[in-house]
Amino acid sequence: MSTVSAVLITITCILVPVSLITVWVHDIVLDTDRYVSTVAPLASNQAIEDAAVHRITEAVGVRVNGSKVTAEVAAWLESQGLPPSAGTAIKALGPQLDSAVNSAVTKVATRFVESDRFETVWTEANRAAHSAVDHALTGQGRGAVEVSEGTVTLNVGTAVETVKKDLVNAGISAAAKIPDVNKQMVLFKSDKLEKIQDAAHLLDVLGYWLPVITVVLGAIGVLLARRRRRALVTTTLCAALACLILAIGLVIARRYYLDHLPAQVQSPAAAAAVFDTLLRFLRASIRTALVLGVVVAIGAYLSGAGRLPRAVRGTSERTADSAARWGGAHGVRTGKVGTWVDAQRRWLTIGVLLVLALVFALWNHPTVLTVLLLVLILLAVLAVLALLAATGRNGEPKEHAGEQ
């Protein structure tokens, strides 16, 4: 392997995980539908629902001064001749009155959050706020989502107003006097956000060009190598290893973040749900790239000249020949098609590989299942080509034998 080839392959392996992050950032920032589909399931997440109930209850802030109310009632009863001991008993009900009102508020808030109305409010708020998310990683939050001093928050004012109306309808008239509020639910907070913003801006500028550059550099590195098949195996396996390292890094980053949550984040479970949801597609991309790298490495290895690859290919060819002879004995012929496939098999195989590679490149956000599906299609096509080539090799002699 030449020095230039080794350098290009090394750069390729480093750029593969960076490219995955680039695509993830680009999609989350610029694709509104994909962003909304990413965060929409959070509306029915139990941790998010619990955190939303807590924040909405705080925001509504219905407060009945139980001690004041019971004191006034006790004073009036005493003025009507009731014994002081009865007044004292009435005053003792103040805390229970406060608790009952707070319990009613929580119950109404919970009913709202667990309903379809909250999912609608959540989805609409996030869709309307996508312009803020578009700028969140550059530090310019606006609308329902705001970014300030390392804190990303979501405005729950719409939910608060809905709960206020529900409280009034439930008979808690004091809720009607609640002033307009603009309460925020903290989604993310980190003192490293500014640095993350700078990195994200660079990744967003690169956009989809970095994956293309990565593939081109890798291809050039393999073509310049003295032993191209071995270079391809090395490149794909090292790229898969880099993806594995990135996956491990995300696990460590998640643990570190959750272990160092600031006081403003009141629900660690909700913070974990948001973290996992926003990184869901990045993790899927990492798994896909890892599996793809291993599959390509295995394919390149099995096409080599080693003992195991030769044994595997020999077994496949013998199986195809047996099937072709059995078919010939039962009148199954492919004629000139089989002969032509046998002569052009190498180029046909290359063509199939190029077509499947193009399909994978154009596939919108491929997954591990996509890779496995394309592998199954490739194996099926290769099996058909092997069988046609075998009939081309084994059919003619029998025909000539019949003429003698």
Side-chain angles (χ1 to χ4, degrees):
M1 184 180 296
S2 67
T3 303
V4 175
S5 174
V7 171
L8 290 177
I9 289 176
T10 301
I11 294 175
T12 299
C13 295
I14 295 174
L15 289 182
V16 165
V18 179
S19 299
L20 296 177
I21 297 175
T22 300
V23 173
W24 172 73
V25 171
H26 199 268
D27 284 352
I28 291 296
V29 170
L30 298 181
D31 192 333
T32 299
D33 291 335
R34 190 167 181 81
Y35 168 76
V36 172
S37 66
T38 299
V39 300
L42 286 173
S44 56
N45 182 278
Q46 188 61 51
I48 294 294
E49 289 182 348
D50 294 341
V53 168
H54 180 73
R55 291 299 295 140
I56 292 173
T57 302
E58 283 188 341
V60 170
V62 174
R63 293 291 182 269
V64 175
N65 193 329
S67 299
K68 182 179 180 181
V69 172
T70 53
E72 292 175 352
V73 172
W76 180 81
L77 292 175
E78 289 177 2
S79 68
Q80 301 299 313
L82 198 69
S85 58
T88 302
I90 293 294
K91 293 178 182 179
L93 295 176
Q96 285 81 355
L97 181 59
D98 287 333
S99 177
V101 173
N102 292 336
S103 177
V105 173
T106 301
K107 183 177 180 180
V108 172
T110 301
R111 187 185 306 122
F112 166 72
V113 168
E114 292 179 349
S115 69
D116 293 338
R117 291 182 299 166
F118 178 68
E119 294 184 10
T120 301
V121 169
W122 176 273
T123 301
E124 291 178 351
N126 277 282
R127 183 175 292 279
H130 187 262
S131 60
V133 177
D134 191 7
H135 297 278
L137 292 177
T138 60
Q140 302 177 20
R142 297 190 302 273
V145 175
E146 297 181 1
V147 180
S148 177
E149 298 180 356
T151 303
V152 181
T153 57
L154 176 67
N155 188 348
V156 295
T158 302
V160 170
E161 292 302 316
T162 303
V163 171
K164 284 168 58 178
K165 294 178 182 178
D166 288 350
L167 289 173
V168 173
N169 294 335
I172 303 178
S173 57
K177 300 179 181 179
I178 298 173
D180 293 336
V181 293
N182 183 28
K183 293 295 182 178
Q184 307 295 326
M185 178 178 173
V186 176
L187 299 178
F188 178 85
K189 182 176 178 63
S190 173
D191 55 2
K192 302 293 191 301
L193 184 58
E194 184 175 352
K195 295 181 179 179
I196 296 174
Q197 291 169 349
D198 294 337
H201 177 68
L202 176 61
L203 293 176
D204 188 38
V205 171
L206 291 174
Y208 284 117
W209 285 110
L210 186 58
V212 175
I213 294 173
T214 301
V215 173
V216 171
L217 291 178
I220 295 174
V222 171
L223 291 175
L224 292 179
R226 295 188 180 92
R227 305 181 66 175
R228 294 174 180 173
R229 183 175 288 106
R230 174 174 293 184
L232 179 59
V233 173
T234 301
T235 302
T236 52
L237 287 181
C238 288
L241 178 60
C243 291
L244 179 61
I245 293 174
L246 176 58
I248 295 174
L250 289 180
V251 173
I252 296 174
R254 181 183 187 276
R255 177 62 62 86
Y256 179 85
Y257 171 66
L258 295 179
D259 289 344
H260 295 80
L261 286 174
Q264 290 86 341
V265 180
Q266 298 175 338
S267 173
V274 172
F275 187 98
D276 293 338
T277 299
L278 291 178
L279 293 180
R280 181 179 57 181
F281 290 109
L282 176 58
R283 287 171 170 167
S285 298
I286 293 172
R287 290 193 295 268
T288 301
L290 197 157
V291 172
L292 179 64
V294 173
V295 167
V296 173
I298 293 175
Y301 171 73
L302 291 179
S303 65
R307 180 179 300 177
L308 178 59
R310 289 201 307 271
V312 171
R313 294 198 302 272
T315 301
S316 300
E317 293 299 318
R318 287 191 295 273
T319 302
D321 287 339
S322 298
R325 286 193 292 269
W326 181 88
H330 291 78
V332 179
R333 298 282 192 276
T334 59
K336 295 181 179 180
V337 174
T339 305
W340 181 81
V341 170
D342 186 39
Q344 305 297 327
R345 183 178 177 185
R346 180 172 181 271
W347 293 108
L348 289 172
T349 301
I350 294 175
V352 171
L353 290 173
L354 291 177
V355 170
L356 292 181
L358 180 62
V359 170
F360 180 82
L362 297 178
W363 197 291
N364 187 26
H365 303 291
T367 63
V368 173
L369 291 179
T370 305
V371 175
L372 297 179
L373 174 62
L374 294 179
V375 169
L376 290 176
I377 293 175
L378 174 62
L379 292 177
V381 173
L382 292 180
V384 171
L385 292 178
L387 187 57
L388 289 174
T391 58
R393 291 193 303 270
N394 295 279
E396 292 299 322
K398 290 189 176 184
E399 292 177 359
H400 291 307
E403 295 174 355
Q404 294 178 353

